[in-house]
Amino acid sequence: MMDSNITSFHPAMFQLTGFPGQEAANHWITIPFCVLYVTAIVGNCTVLCIIWKDRHLHQPMYLFLSMLSVNDLGMSLSTLPTVLSTFCFDFPGITFNACLAQMFFIHSFSFMESGILLAMSLDRFVAICQPLHYAATLTNPRIVRIGVVIVMKSTSMLVPFPFLLQRLPICKGNVLSHAYCLHPDMMRLACADITVNNIYGFFAILITYGVDSMFIILSYIHILKTVLNIASHEQRLKALNTCVSHICAVLLFYVPIIAVSVLHRFGKKAPPLVHILMSYVYLFVPPVLNPIIYSVKTKEIRKRIFRIFSRDFI
């Protein structure tokens, strides 16, 4: 009976952490976070509105971009409540079930972003390597199916996580390392065997980030081979230029993930502040910079943004 009570034990509340030792400056720290949130929300909403209103942009490349913007909005809104409550309102508490829900959404949106970036690499592969089959291959119904598969795959991979955490007795305190809930952070507070959590977590990461990144690399190897076979130097640059925004989005997403993984395994002697900052970069930078990159590098979106601002100033 006692064993059953112990294995089902978990705290009613978790305490979230901002920047340890900087609690007095929390209200000032709120300012850059608010700037990041406003930039991410306004930027992604602008991209979505432009694509929604202009029928000429209802093409595969822009439909995948709209998926990316929706996903980035979801990621920003997943962390917003607890980050603002921790830094702005000095209320770092979150219930166990709410923490599980936030953890599920944060990791789901991260997995979905990886899938969307893979779909965007497929779009670039077909556009450059098989341009005559582009319209026939990436039809609207097929794009919808790709989006549904990405959502179903990402969420189904995350469904076991809350159940794996619920079965663990949490008895090493209730203080988390960030202003939001993550699976590794919650798992480390358990005083039971976490082998299953570690194995499944590694499996989910390998199947998602590992497989997606491998196919993205393979698609760009084929793209590069095709581009190098183009005789005209101008056409080569034009073809590569259509990939720049996507390459930047891929680097923005995967480089912080790799950095966080390397720090987690080999940087145990690094100051805690470094780990915390890298975690914030991993979650906050892509939603902020993706719409900016696509707005700057994509001529059609850039034109429509200039048109909107020119109307406002006239």
Side-chain angles (χ1 to χ4, degrees), residues 277-294:
L277 284 173
M278 284 308 303
S279 176
Y280 284 121
V281 168
Y282 151 61
L283 290 179
F284 284 83
V285 169
V288 171
L289 291 186
N290 281 340
I292 294 173
I293 289 169
Y294 274 95

Side-chain angles (χ1 to χ4, degrees), residues 193-213:
D193 187 10
I194 58 172
T195 303
V196 175
N197 294 65
N198 277 324
I199 291 173
Y200 185 76
F202 178 75
F203 169 76
I205 289 171
L206 187 66
I207 291 296
T208 305
Y209 300 144
V211 172
D212 290 351
S213 60

Side-chain angles (χ1 to χ4, degrees), residues 29 70 93 182 184 203 230 253 256 284:
I29 296 172
V70 169
L182 298 174
F203 169 76
I230 297 174
F253 180 73
F284 284 83

Side-chain angles (χ1 to χ4, degrees), residues 144 162 203 210 267 313:
V144 171
F203 169 76
F313 286 110

Side-chain angles (χ1 to χ4, degrees), residues 49-96:
C49 288
I50 289 171
I51 294 172
W52 178 266
K53 289 183 177 181
D54 195 331
R55 290 188 177 181
H56 294 98
L57 298 182
H58 292 182
Q59 301 171 26
M61 174 183 171
Y62 300 105
L63 294 176
F64 285 128
L65 176 57
S66 65
M67 289 184 195
L68 184 66
S69 293
V70 169
N71 191 79
D72 284 343
L73 281 173
M75 178 65 84
S76 296
L77 295 175
S78 295
T79 59
L80 186 146
T82 53
V83 169
L84 291 188
S85 68
T86 300
F87 290 109
C88 190
F89 303 109
D90 292 324
F91 183 74
I94 183 172
T95 64
F96 181 81

Side-chain angles (χ1 to χ4, degrees), residues 28 32 44-45 68 86 116 131 143 151 158 196 216 223-224 248 252 282 302 310 314:
W28 292 106
N44 285 294
C45 284
L68 184 66
T86 300
I116 293 167
I143 291 169
V151 172
L158 262 298
V196 175
I216 290 171
I223 287 169
L224 194 59
C248 290
L252 281 173
Y282 151 61
R302 189 171 65 243
S310 63
I314 290 174

